[in-house]
Amino acid sequence: FLASMFYAKLLSGAIALIAIDTSSSFGCPPPERLSRLLKATDSGEAPIILMPCCYDGITARLVAQSGFNATFMTGFGVSGAGGYPDTQLVSFNEMVLAAGKVAEGLSSAALEQVNYGEPDYAGEPPVAIPCIADGDTGYGNAINVKRTVFGYARTGMAGMMIEDQVAPKRCGHVAGKAVIPFDEAVQRVKAACDARDEYEALFGKGTGPLILARTDSLVTDGFEDAIQRCIAFREAGCDMTFLEAPQTIEQMKEYCQRVTGPKLANMLEYGNTPILPPHELQQMGYTIAAYPLTLLSASIKTMQESLQLIKEGKPTLDKILDFSETKDVVGFTKYAKEEDRYKC
């Protein structure tokens, strides 16, 4: 059978739907699915990839249920949900466990959306949207970087971000950052790319997580150094680049003009980078627009407001879903159907 994936495209404030044939991607590995999305956007066949960032099973399910084509597991979010700042207090194993929960949330949402395996299943392919995982600095030397790629690959991640900060790293929009030397940064990225290729050699074409190489050197070493690092990362074999925290639209444009391949724009509200509409970012040359803290920040704000209402003895109904909606979002509806399906 044939299936089509629909992309929402923002043009002059209006939403247009573009159908892309995905019949050949039925059942394909997550990195291959992500690769096809990137190629469709870069070719102009599809709009920029809007990528709200998740950090656990429920946020992954929400992103998938809302119809987005991809997501990113943010280390800030994983750290924040654990009650920590994004200063690499969370370990490699904790991040891999979080990736497993994200992957499970994405796959469960995909199966539910098409009623796969149920009597009313219409034959549409279940599509678990691809996720890029935050690999921070790789949790050690180049060998640790390779192990991190393999760890995320085994959880079903479509890609991994690796960055050039000194460990312990921190959020790219806070003070106190430092980066490793240029050549060492390139070798770190090369190790990640080698691990991608080694994983693919072991498990087949399209299984190696795509590598998103990030530099934070703009703040520490200047814009030209950041550009040269991105160019060198591409020469080392990375699939995508991410120049963190450009401070002007001019810097964003120049980055897109001078660096080849897919590029990520980090749309952090109240951060250092100008927040631009998706269509403007695509016109500049960006492939992905990531929204790293929107879900975490929105949930914190709503929880704080709800707690204040409880403290004041006031109702919270305006802040919450009704119970049936909450049950459905977390999977009770699907669970009940599955339970009935296997009853004797």
Side-chain angles (χ1 to χ4, degrees):
F1 50 81
L2 296 179
S4 293
M5 182 178 294
F6 288 90
Y7 296 83
K9 185 173 184 180
L10 290 172
L11 288 172
S12 303
I15 295 179
L17 291 178
I18 296 180
I20 305 297
D21 179 38
T22 58
S23 56
S24 60
S25 68
F26 176 67
C28 75
E32 177 64 22
R33 193 179 303 282
L34 176 59
S35 178
R36 294 179 187 184
L37 286 174
L38 294 172
K39 289 175 182 175
T41 297
D42 274 354
S43 69
E45 186 180 7
I48 191 169
I49 300 166
L50 300 179
M51 190 176 280
C53 296
C54 62
Y55 48 87
D56 58 11
I58 185 60
T59 51
R61 283 175 58 83
L62 286 168
V63 173
Q65 290 169 350
S66 298
F68 290 93
N69 296 317
T71 186
F72 182 104
M73 187 187 79
T74 162
F76 192 120
V78 174
S79 299
Y84 302 109
D86 183 22
T87 52
Q88 213 164 357
L89 290 170
V90 175
S91 69
F92 163 68
N93 281 332
E94 289 172 293
M95 290 295 288
V96 169
L97 286 172
K101 293 177 181 177
V102 165
E104 196 168 355
L106 295 175
S107 60
S108 66
L111 292 169
E112 290 170 25
Q113 285 175 325
V114 297
N115 296 320
Y116 188 77
E118 297 176 16
D120 57 347
Y121 174 54
E124 295 179 65
V127 177
I129 66 172
C131 179
I132 300 172
D134 192 342
D136 290 325
T137 61
Y139 306 99
N141 64 14
I143 314 307
N144 292 90
V145 170
K146 297 179 77 171
R147 182 169 182 252
T148 302
V149 173
F150 267 65
Y152 278 141
R154 285 190 289 267
T155 67
M157 293 292 100
M160 189 191 90
M161 183 177 76
I162 188 73
E163 61 187 79
D164 61 0
Q165 281 198 53
V166 171
K169 58 86 60 176
R170 60 191 62 212
C171 169
H173 290 251
V174 301
K177 292 194 301 181
V179 297
I180 59 178
F182 188 102
D183 291 342
E184 185 180 345
V186 174
Q187 289 302 107
R188 182 182 284 178
V189 172
K190 187 177 187 307
C193 295
D194 287 346
R196 172 201 61 203
D197 298 341
E198 290 166 11
Y199 193 90
E200 192 160 293
L202 285 168
F203 300 105
K205 181 176 174 57
T207 61
L210 305 189
I211 301 303
L212 169 62
R214 161 179 159 176
T215 182
D216 284 76
S217 76
L218 187 153
V219 172
T220 60
D221 292 38
F223 180 70
E224 185 59 31
D225 183 82
I227 290 290
Q228 292 304 319
R229 287 186 184 228
C230 287
I231 292 171
F233 294 165
R234 285 287 291 164
E235 292 173 350
C238 78
D239 302 282
M240 305 162 275
T241 58
F242 169 20
L243 194 160
E244 172 66 301
Q247 298 172 347
T248 67
I249 292 175
E250 289 68 28
Q251 287 180 340
M252 297 169 76
K253 288 180 177 178
E254 186 171 348
Y255 161 54
C256 290
Q257 291 166 357
R258 295 178 61 187
V259 179
T260 64
K263 289 169 280 288
L264 181 145
N266 199 28
M267 296 289 95
L268 173 60
E269 298 91 345
Y270 303 109
N272 297 326
T273 300
I275 303 295
L276 300 175
H279 70 276
E280 288 188 25
L281 291 171
Q282 186 168 18
Q283 287 172 356
M284 278 186 188
Y286 283 104
T287 315
I288 301 169
Y291 299 83
L293 296 184
T294 308
L295 295 186
L296 177 64
S297 183
S299 64
I300 290 172
K301 180 178 181 180
T302 302
M303 286 190 283
Q304 287 176 330
E305 292 173 350
S306 297
L307 288 167
Q308 185 61 35
L309 289 171
I310 292 171
K311 184 184 289 186
E312 296 171 359
K314 297 178 181 178
T316 59
L317 296 181
D318 289 342
K319 298 293 180 184
I320 64 174
L321 299 174
D322 67 44
F323 187 43
S324 62
E325 289 179 285
T326 301
K327 289 191 296 180
D328 187 54
V329 168
V330 302
F332 268 99
T333 304
K334 175 65 173 178
Y335 182 89
K337 290 180 179 179
E338 289 284 278
E339 194 173 38
D340 289 339
R341 181 181 174 189
Y342 294 108
K343 279 184 178 177
C344 296

